[in-house]
Amino acid sequence: LLNIATDGETYGHHHRFGEMALAYALNQVQKHPDITLTNYAAFLDTYHPLWEAEVLERGSWSCSHGIERWRDDCGCSTGSQPGWNQKWRAPLYEAFQTLRRGLAQVFEERGASFFRDPWAARDGYVEVLLDPSSAGRAHFVAEHGRADLAPGERRRLFAWLEIQRCLALMYSSCGWFFDDVAGLESLLVLRWADRAMELWRSL
């Protein structure tokens, strides 16, 4: 088994037409009779592991400080602005944590009037994101919504779930990686936090 691991955003994001190069490479590999493209699940169905490896918890590929790279002034830098620091990370991270905890408590309390199990509904919401059709939404409501849910409450039900989606997106990795809090990436995670609060105010 030859494992090839790359960053998904390399293709078409960091390198223009990278997705086309990847498609071409995969096409060429598939033409080779001695090579089979696979994934870990399929491979392990045929070849059982002889030993296991343990993933280092709270580790990071980008610096020796682990996840501190995303929540504190760890000292590492992209080097784009000599002398800059990331002292903004810790207070912003704590602000996001406060927002997430507060809205999680409200979601549990008020979500009980919409969902059989609010957290199971939050986890299952990905199915709506994959299939946002009327049928997909109806199936989700039938599976996760309370039986006594009024028809007019469905819009509010999905607004509660959108809040949870925004709270997850505000932790997007790129928003915490670079030095400048006013950069595009950090502004995007701030917008997700703002959108969560905007939806909360509307409810």
Side-chain angles (χ1 to χ4, degrees):
L1 176 66
L2 174 63
N3 174 66
I4 301 175
T6 65
D7 193 331
E9 66 185 13
T10 297
Y11 307 102
H13 177 62
H14 289 310
H15 297 283
R16 191 175 182 201
F17 304 126
E19 75 284 5
M20 295 169 66
L22 178 62
Y24 177 81
L26 292 175
N27 183 266
Q28 293 302 306
V29 166
Q30 287 177 310
K31 292 178 180 177
H32 200 291
D34 297 329
I35 299 176
T36 301
L37 286 175
T38 188
N39 57 48
Y40 291 124
F43 182 83
L44 291 173
D45 270 348
T46 306
Y47 305 98
H48 300 292
L50 302 176
W51 52 270
E52 294 182 5
E54 186 173 327
V55 174
L56 176 66
E57 294 293 329
R58 299 185 171 294
S60 165
W61 57 266
S62 63
C63 79
S64 61
H65 304 101
I67 61 172
E68 298 310 308
R69 179 66 187 256
W70 284 269
R71 67 180 187 186
D72 204 355
D73 183 16
C74 70
C76 293
S77 169
T78 57
S80 58
Q81 301 288 345
W84 283 34
N85 61 58
Q86 300 88 24
K87 291 180 180 177
W88 54 269
R89 281 187 188 146
L92 182 61
Y93 181 81
E94 188 50 44
F96 278 18
Q97 289 287 80
T98 300
L99 175 63
R100 183 190 57 78
R101 284 191 295 263
L103 289 179
Q105 181 178 349
V106 174
F107 181 66
E108 277 188 355
E109 293 169 358
R110 303 211 184 160
S113 63
F114 293 92
F115 307 106
R116 294 188 189 103
D117 178 340
W119 294 114
R122 188 276 311 264
D123 294 346
Y125 184 52
V126 67
E127 298 301 328
V128 175
L129 300 177
L130 295 172
D131 177 15
S133 68
S134 298
R137 287 174 169 258
H139 180 266
F140 176 86
V141 171
E143 186 173 345
H144 293 284
R146 289 178 58 94
D148 57 350
L149 191 66
E153 292 181 314
R154 288 190 178 190
R155 182 189 63 80
R156 293 168 61 83
L157 174 147
F158 286 111
W160 282 108
L161 294 167
E162 271 298 296
I163 289 174
Q164 291 303 311
R165 187 174 77 92
C166 292
L167 292 174
L169 288 169
M170 71 185 187
Y171 292 102
S172 297
S173 176
C174 61
W176 303 86
F177 185 80
F178 300 101
D179 300 340
D180 187 3
V181 70
L184 171 66
E185 297 83 3
S186 299
L187 289 178
L188 285 174
V189 296
L190 283 163
R191 285 183 176 179
W192 285 119
D194 183 58
R195 179 61 176 154
M197 291 188 289
E198 180 182 45
L199 287 167
W200 158 240
R201 285 192 295 267
S202 75
L203 292 168

